[in-house]
Short mmCIF file of all heavy atoms in Angstrom, two decimals:
data_model
loop_
_atom_site.label_atom_id
_atom_site.label_comp_id
_atom_site.label_asym_id
_atom_site.label_seq_id
_atom_site.Cartn_x
_atom_site.Cartn_y
_atom_site.Cartn_z
N TRP A 38 24.57 12.52 23.58
CA TRP A 38 23.42 13.42 23.44
C TRP A 38 22.14 12.65 23.10
O TRP A 38 21.06 12.99 23.57
CB TRP A 38 23.79 14.42 22.33
CG TRP A 38 22.74 15.32 21.77
CD1 TRP A 38 22.22 15.25 20.51
CD2 TRP A 38 22.13 16.47 22.38
NE1 TRP A 38 21.33 16.26 20.30
CE2 TRP A 38 21.25 17.02 21.43
CE3 TRP A 38 22.23 17.07 23.63
CZ2 TRP A 38 20.48 18.16 21.70
CZ3 TRP A 38 21.47 18.19 23.89
CH2 TRP A 38 20.61 18.72 22.94
N LEU A 39 22.30 11.55 22.33
CA LEU A 39 21.11 10.87 21.79
C LEU A 39 20.77 9.54 22.46
O LEU A 39 19.59 9.19 22.56
CB LEU A 39 21.31 10.61 20.28
CG LEU A 39 21.44 11.84 19.39
CD1 LEU A 39 21.75 11.41 17.95
CD2 LEU A 39 20.18 12.70 19.44
N LYS A 41 20.47 8.20 25.32
CA LYS A 41 19.53 8.05 26.44
C LYS A 41 18.06 8.22 26.03
O LYS A 41 17.17 7.90 26.81
CB LYS A 41 19.87 9.03 27.57
CG LYS A 41 19.90 10.49 27.17
CD LYS A 41 20.34 11.32 28.38
CE LYS A 41 20.54 12.80 28.04
NZ LYS A 41 21.71 13.04 27.17
N TRP A 42 17.83 8.74 24.80
CA TRP A 42 16.44 8.94 24.36
C TRP A 42 16.02 7.92 23.30
O TRP A 42 14.93 8.01 22.74
CB TRP A 42 16.26 10.36 23.78
CG TRP A 42 16.75 11.44 24.69
CD1 TRP A 42 17.75 12.33 24.44
CD2 TRP A 42 16.26 11.76 26.01
NE1 TRP A 42 17.92 13.17 25.51
CE2 TRP A 42 17.02 12.85 26.49
CE3 TRP A 42 15.27 11.21 26.84
CZ2 TRP A 42 16.81 13.42 27.75
CZ3 TRP A 42 15.07 11.78 28.10
CH2 TRP A 42 15.83 12.86 28.54
N GLU A 43 16.89 6.96 23.01
CA GLU A 43 16.61 6.07 21.87
C GLU A 43 16.26 4.65 22.33
O GLU A 43 16.61 4.24 23.44
CB GLU A 43 17.81 6.05 20.94
CG GLU A 43 18.10 7.45 20.40
CD GLU A 43 18.47 7.47 18.93
OE1 GLU A 43 18.76 6.42 18.36
OE2 GLU A 43 18.47 8.59 18.37
N ILE A 105 5.21 10.95 15.61
CA ILE A 105 6.44 11.53 15.05
C ILE A 105 7.52 11.52 16.12
O ILE A 105 7.28 11.89 17.28
CB ILE A 105 6.22 12.97 14.54
CG1 ILE A 105 5.21 12.98 13.39
CG2 ILE A 105 7.55 13.58 14.06
CD1 ILE A 105 4.95 14.37 12.78
N GLY A 106 8.72 11.09 15.71
CA GLY A 106 9.91 11.16 16.57
C GLY A 106 10.94 12.05 15.91
O GLY A 106 10.92 12.22 14.68
N TYR A 107 11.88 12.60 16.69
CA TYR A 107 12.85 13.55 16.11
C TYR A 107 14.11 13.64 16.94
O TYR A 107 14.13 13.33 18.13
CB TYR A 107 12.22 14.95 15.99
CG TYR A 107 11.43 15.40 17.20
CD1 TYR A 107 12.06 15.81 18.37
CD2 TYR A 107 10.03 15.36 17.20
CE1 TYR A 107 11.33 16.19 19.49
CE2 TYR A 107 9.29 15.75 18.31
CZ TYR A 107 9.95 16.16 19.44
OH TYR A 107 9.23 16.53 20.56
N TRP A 108 15.19 14.07 16.28
CA TRP A 108 16.45 14.40 16.97
C TRP A 108 17.22 15.38 16.10
O TRP A 108 17.02 15.44 14.88
CB TRP A 108 17.28 13.15 17.25
CG TRP A 108 17.81 12.43 16.03
CD1 TRP A 108 17.20 11.40 15.37
CD2 TRP A 108 19.03 12.71 15.32
NE1 TRP A 108 17.97 11.01 14.29
CE2 TRP A 108 19.11 11.79 14.24
CE3 TRP A 108 20.08 13.62 15.49
CZ2 TRP A 108 20.17 11.77 13.34
CZ3 TRP A 108 21.13 13.60 14.59
CH2 TRP A 108 21.18 12.67 13.52
N ILE A 109 18.11 16.14 16.75
CA ILE A 109 18.97 17.07 16.01
C ILE A 109 20.39 16.98 16.57
O ILE A 109 20.58 16.69 17.77
CB ILE A 109 18.42 18.52 16.08
CG1 ILE A 109 19.18 19.43 15.10
CG2 ILE A 109 18.50 19.08 17.50
CD1 ILE A 109 18.52 20.80 14.90
N ASP A 110 21.36 17.22 15.73
CA ASP A 110 22.78 17.32 16.11
C ASP A 110 22.90 18.35 17.24
O ASP A 110 22.39 19.48 17.14
CB ASP A 110 23.54 17.81 14.86
CG ASP A 110 25.05 17.89 15.05
OD1 ASP A 110 25.52 17.82 16.20
OD2 ASP A 110 25.73 18.05 14.02
N ALA A 111 23.59 17.97 18.34
CA ALA A 111 23.73 18.88 19.49
C ALA A 111 24.32 20.23 19.09
O ALA A 111 23.99 21.26 19.69
CB ALA A 111 24.61 18.22 20.56
N LEU A 113 23.63 21.97 16.68
CA LEU A 113 22.62 22.84 16.05
C LEU A 113 21.38 23.00 16.93
O LEU A 113 20.38 23.59 16.51
CB LEU A 113 22.23 22.28 14.68
CG LEU A 113 23.41 22.12 13.70
CD1 LEU A 113 22.97 21.35 12.45
CD2 LEU A 113 23.96 23.49 13.32
N ALA A 114 21.47 22.48 18.18
CA ALA A 114 20.31 22.57 19.09
C ALA A 114 20.14 23.99 19.59
O ALA A 114 21.08 24.80 19.57
CB ALA A 114 20.53 21.62 20.27
N GLY A 115 18.93 24.31 20.02
CA GLY A 115 18.66 25.59 20.66
C GLY A 115 18.42 26.74 19.71
O GLY A 115 18.35 27.89 20.14
N ARG A 116 18.23 26.45 18.42
CA ARG A 116 17.98 27.52 17.44
C ARG A 116 16.54 27.50 16.92
O ARG A 116 16.22 28.19 15.96
CB ARG A 116 18.91 27.35 16.24
CG ARG A 116 20.37 27.29 16.58
CD ARG A 116 21.16 27.06 15.32
NE ARG A 116 22.55 26.80 15.64
CZ ARG A 116 23.57 27.09 14.82
NH1 ARG A 116 23.33 27.62 13.65
NH2 ARG A 116 24.79 26.82 15.18
N GLY A 117 15.73 26.62 17.49
CA GLY A 117 14.35 26.53 17.03
C GLY A 117 14.18 25.77 15.73
O GLY A 117 13.15 25.88 15.07
N VAL A 118 15.19 24.94 15.38
CA VAL A 118 15.09 24.21 14.10
C VAL A 118 14.04 23.11 14.18
O VAL A 118 13.18 22.98 13.29
CB VAL A 118 16.48 23.62 13.70
CG1 VAL A 118 16.35 22.73 12.48
CG2 VAL A 118 17.47 24.76 13.44
N VAL A 119 14.08 22.30 15.25
CA VAL A 119 13.12 21.18 15.32
C VAL A 119 11.67 21.66 15.46
O VAL A 119 10.79 21.12 14.79
CB VAL A 119 13.53 20.16 16.42
CG1 VAL A 119 12.41 19.15 16.67
CG2 VAL A 119 14.80 19.43 15.98
N PRO A 120 11.37 22.67 16.31
CA PRO A 120 9.97 23.11 16.35
C PRO A 120 9.43 23.49 14.96
O PRO A 120 8.31 23.11 14.59
CB PRO A 120 10.01 24.33 17.28
CG PRO A 120 11.17 24.09 18.16
CD PRO A 120 12.19 23.36 17.32
N ILE A 141 2.80 12.83 19.61
CA ILE A 141 4.22 12.87 19.99
C ILE A 141 4.32 12.35 21.42
O ILE A 141 3.62 12.85 22.30
CB ILE A 141 4.76 14.34 19.99
CG1 ILE A 141 4.28 15.15 18.78
CG2 ILE A 141 6.27 14.35 20.16
CD1 ILE A 141 5.00 14.93 17.52
N ASP A 142 5.19 11.39 21.66
CA ASP A 142 5.35 10.81 23.00
C ASP A 142 6.72 11.18 23.55
O ASP A 142 7.74 10.96 22.89
CB ASP A 142 5.20 9.29 22.93
CG ASP A 142 3.85 8.89 22.35
OD1 ASP A 142 2.84 9.46 22.80
OD2 ASP A 142 3.82 8.04 21.44
N ILE A 143 6.73 11.73 24.76
CA ILE A 143 7.97 12.29 25.31
C ILE A 143 8.17 11.82 26.74
O ILE A 143 7.23 11.85 27.56
CB ILE A 143 7.90 13.84 25.29
CG1 ILE A 143 7.67 14.33 23.85
CG2 ILE A 143 9.16 14.45 25.89
CD1 ILE A 143 7.47 15.84 23.75
N ARG A 144 9.41 11.42 27.06
CA ARG A 144 9.70 11.08 28.46
C ARG A 144 9.58 12.33 29.32
O ARG A 144 10.03 13.41 28.93
CB ARG A 144 11.11 10.50 28.57
CG ARG A 144 11.19 9.08 28.02
CD ARG A 144 12.60 8.56 28.05
NE ARG A 144 13.15 8.55 29.40
CZ ARG A 144 14.40 8.22 29.69
NH1 ARG A 144 15.22 7.87 28.72
NH2 ARG A 144 14.82 8.23 30.93
N ASN A 147 12.49 14.70 29.68
CA ASN A 147 13.09 15.31 28.49
C ASN A 147 12.58 16.75 28.33
O ASN A 147 11.69 17.04 27.52
CB ASN A 147 12.78 14.47 27.25
CG ASN A 147 13.64 14.87 26.06
OD1 ASN A 147 14.19 15.97 26.03
ND2 ASN A 147 13.74 13.99 25.08
N THR A 148 13.15 17.64 29.11
CA THR A 148 12.63 19.02 29.15
C THR A 148 12.77 19.73 27.81
O THR A 148 11.91 20.53 27.43
CB THR A 148 13.34 19.85 30.24
OG1 THR A 148 14.75 19.66 30.10
CG2 THR A 148 12.94 19.40 31.63
N ALA A 149 13.86 19.44 27.07
CA ALA A 149 14.04 20.10 25.77
C ALA A 149 12.91 19.71 24.81
O ALA A 149 12.34 20.55 24.11
CB ALA A 149 15.39 19.75 25.19
N SER A 150 12.58 18.43 24.78
CA SER A 150 11.53 17.96 23.88
C SER A 150 10.15 18.46 24.34
O SER A 150 9.28 18.78 23.50
CB SER A 150 11.55 16.43 23.80
OG SER A 150 10.73 15.98 22.77
N LEU A 151 9.95 18.53 25.65
CA LEU A 151 8.68 19.08 26.15
C LEU A 151 8.51 20.53 25.70
O LEU A 151 7.40 20.99 25.40
CB LEU A 151 8.62 18.98 27.68
CG LEU A 151 8.46 17.56 28.24
CD1 LEU A 151 8.65 17.55 29.75
CD2 LEU A 151 7.10 16.96 27.87
N ARG A 152 9.63 21.28 25.64
CA ARG A 152 9.57 22.67 25.16
C ARG A 152 9.14 22.72 23.69
O ARG A 152 8.43 23.64 23.28
CB ARG A 152 10.93 23.35 25.33
CG ARG A 152 11.19 23.88 26.70
CD ARG A 152 10.26 25.06 27.04
NE ARG A 152 10.52 26.24 26.24
CZ ARG A 152 9.58 27.06 25.77
NH1 ARG A 152 8.30 26.82 25.99
NH2 ARG A 152 9.91 28.13 25.07
N VAL A 153 9.59 21.74 22.91
CA VAL A 153 9.25 21.73 21.48
C VAL A 153 7.73 21.67 21.30
O VAL A 153 7.15 22.48 20.57
CB VAL A 153 9.94 20.54 20.76
CG1 VAL A 153 9.42 20.37 19.35
CG2 VAL A 153 11.46 20.74 20.74
N LYS A 156 6.00 24.85 22.41
CA LYS A 156 6.08 25.95 21.43
C LYS A 156 5.02 25.80 20.33
O LYS A 156 4.54 26.79 19.79
CB LYS A 156 7.47 25.99 20.80
CG LYS A 156 8.55 26.48 21.74
CD LYS A 156 9.92 26.44 21.09
CE LYS A 156 10.99 26.79 22.12
NZ LYS A 156 12.36 26.81 21.55
N HIS A 178 5.90 7.82 29.40
CA HIS A 178 5.87 8.90 28.39
C HIS A 178 4.63 9.77 28.58
O HIS A 178 3.57 9.26 28.96
CB HIS A 178 5.86 8.32 26.97
CG HIS A 178 7.22 7.88 26.51
ND1 HIS A 178 7.86 6.76 27.02
CD2 HIS A 178 8.07 8.42 25.60
CE1 HIS A 178 9.05 6.63 26.44
NE2 HIS A 178 9.21 7.62 25.58
C1 COA B 1 14.53 17.76 21.77
C2 COA B 1 15.31 18.39 20.60
C3 COA B 1 14.91 17.67 19.32
C4 COA B 1 14.94 19.89 20.49
O1 COA B 1 15.40 20.42 19.26
P1 COA B 1 15.87 21.96 19.11
O2 COA B 1 15.94 22.26 17.66
O3 COA B 1 17.10 22.18 19.91
O4 COA B 1 14.65 22.74 19.79
P2 COA B 1 14.67 24.24 20.39
O5 COA B 1 15.71 25.05 19.71
O6 COA B 1 13.27 24.68 20.39
O7 COA B 1 15.14 24.04 21.91
C5 COA B 1 14.26 23.40 22.84
C6 COA B 1 14.82 23.54 24.25
O8 COA B 1 16.06 22.86 24.33
C7 COA B 1 16.88 23.51 25.34
N1 COA B 1 18.15 23.87 24.72
C8 COA B 1 18.46 24.94 23.99
N2 COA B 1 19.74 24.90 23.59
C9 COA B 1 20.25 23.75 24.06
C10 COA B 1 21.52 23.13 23.98
N3 COA B 1 22.52 23.67 23.30
N4 COA B 1 21.68 21.94 24.58
C11 COA B 1 20.68 21.38 25.27
N5 COA B 1 19.44 21.91 25.36
C12 COA B 1 19.24 23.08 24.78
C13 COA B 1 16.13 24.73 25.80
O9 COA B 1 15.43 24.39 26.98
C14 COA B 1 15.14 24.95 24.65
O10 COA B 1 13.98 25.63 25.07
P3 COA B 1 13.93 27.25 24.97
O11 COA B 1 13.98 27.58 23.50
O12 COA B 1 12.65 27.60 25.62
O13 COA B 1 15.16 27.77 25.68
C15 COA B 1 16.85 18.26 20.83
O14 COA B 1 17.15 18.75 22.11
C16 COA B 1 17.36 16.82 20.71
O15 COA B 1 17.63 16.34 19.61
N6 COA B 1 17.50 16.12 21.86
C17 COA B 1 18.02 14.74 21.86
C18 COA B 1 17.05 13.76 21.22
C19 COA B 1 15.64 13.88 21.76
O16 COA B 1 15.44 14.15 22.92
N7 COA B 1 14.65 13.66 20.87
C20 COA B 1 13.24 13.75 21.24
C21 COA B 1 12.76 12.53 21.89
S1 COA B 1 11.04 12.72 22.35
#
Side-chain angles (χ1 to χ4, degrees):
W38 169 250
L39 297 175
K41 57 184 174 291
W42 308 118
E43 300 221 346
I105 297 182
Y107 44 75
W108 65 268
I109 190 169
D110 184 347
L113 302 171
R116 305 177 188 208
V118 173
V119 169
I141 317 280
D142 302 313
I143 302 175
R144 286 176 59 184
N147 193 340
T148 49
S150 191
L151 289 170
R152 277 293 293 142
V153 170
K156 288 177 186 182
H178 281 71

